[in-house]
Structure formats: C-alpha cells, structure tokens
Amino acid sequence: MSLPKRGIEERLERLERDWNWAKPIVTKLAKEYDISRQQVNPAKYCKDGLDLQIVSYLIDNLGAGATEIAVALKLEDPEVGRHTIGKRLLRLYKATTTDGWDMITFEKAFRENPITQKRKFRAWWINLDAIDLEEWQKSLGGMKIATPESH
C-alpha cells in the first residue's frame, strides 16, 4: 500500500514539528545527566605502586616520555628505568584499550603539551576526559604519590 504524496508530506511535517518540540528537552537532559560519556578509574589497571606513580605523573603533566617519567620518579638508572616505564605503559595501554577505554595513548610525532606549551616527541599522553578523577583520588585513599611536583 502506498500513501499519496500529500499524506507522506503531512506525516513528515508532523514528525519535524514533534522533533523540534522534543529536541531542546532531549539536549538538556543529555547535558544534565551526561549520558554519553562514562569515565574509568585508572587504579583499576594499576598492579602496584610504580603503576600508580606513573599514572599520577601523567595526570599531573598530561603527557611525558618514558625517560622523563623514569628521571622524575628517580628510578635507579634512567636508561633501564625508561624500559621499565615503557613496558608498564604499554601494559596499561593494552589493558585499557581491550576494555574499550582511550585513557592512554602513545604518539610518535611531536605534540604540544597544553599546559607547558612544550613540544614532546615519542610521548605517552593521558586523556583526562576518560578518567574519573574523584574515583582516582578515592582509590589512592589519602596515599601520597611521590612525584617531583608534589615535593
């Protein structure tokens, strides 16, 4: 059964009117309840204190290279430490992406840090929009993470 052209146009106009009436309400509710965006607690993926320190450093600085993190966390030998940091970050990256989170990314090209305005090459970056910072603080349970910025 086919509808006459006029009937289709009337239905379409009615749908447009209804949507124009409902769209502001739906938009307001989506913003109010932030339905579209979920966040993750990075502590879920940290297996020990070193992982917590690495994630904390990235949260404080938004991005850093493995060597930079190794020096900042005062690991014994920065050359060996950068490999340790790199392996930890790669494990965190794989675990979070497997679960569908884009919490940590690695970029080989230059990228500018939005806070310091310094360009970093071959650096790990953390996406603060994907992180539930309140849950992160709760999971630390008042534990002080030793990073150079917290001294």
Side-chain angles (χ1 to χ4, degrees), residues 15 43-44 50-52 62 67 70-72 77-78 90 92 99 102 115 120:
L15 282 172
K44 172 182 174 183
L50 182 58
D51 285 352
L52 291 171
L62 295 184
T67 306
V71 169
D77 179 14
L90 185 60
L92 287 167
D99 286 353
D102 62 341
I115 293 175
K120 296 186 183 283

Side-chain angles (χ1 to χ4, degrees), residues 27-92:
T27 304
K28 180 182 175 188
L29 286 172
K31 285 180 184 175
E32 187 174 320
Y33 292 105
D34 201 14
I35 297 169
S36 62
R37 181 173 295 173
Q38 292 182 338
Q39 296 178 320
V40 66
N41 181 358
K44 172 182 174 183
Y45 300 99
C46 297
K47 68 178 186 179
D48 61 10
L50 182 58
D51 285 352
L52 291 171
Q53 287 179 322
I54 293 168
V55 172
S56 183
Y57 187 85
L58 284 175
I59 288 173
D60 290 343
N61 296 285
L62 295 184
T67 306
E68 177 185 345
I69 296 171
V71 169
L73 298 180
K74 297 182 172 90
L75 297 182
E76 64 282 348
D77 179 14
E79 190 61 29
V80 173
R82 85 179 168 93
H83 292 288
T84 303
I85 299 294
K87 288 176 187 175
R88 296 292 186 104
L89 284 166
L90 185 60
R91 184 185 50 75
L92 287 167

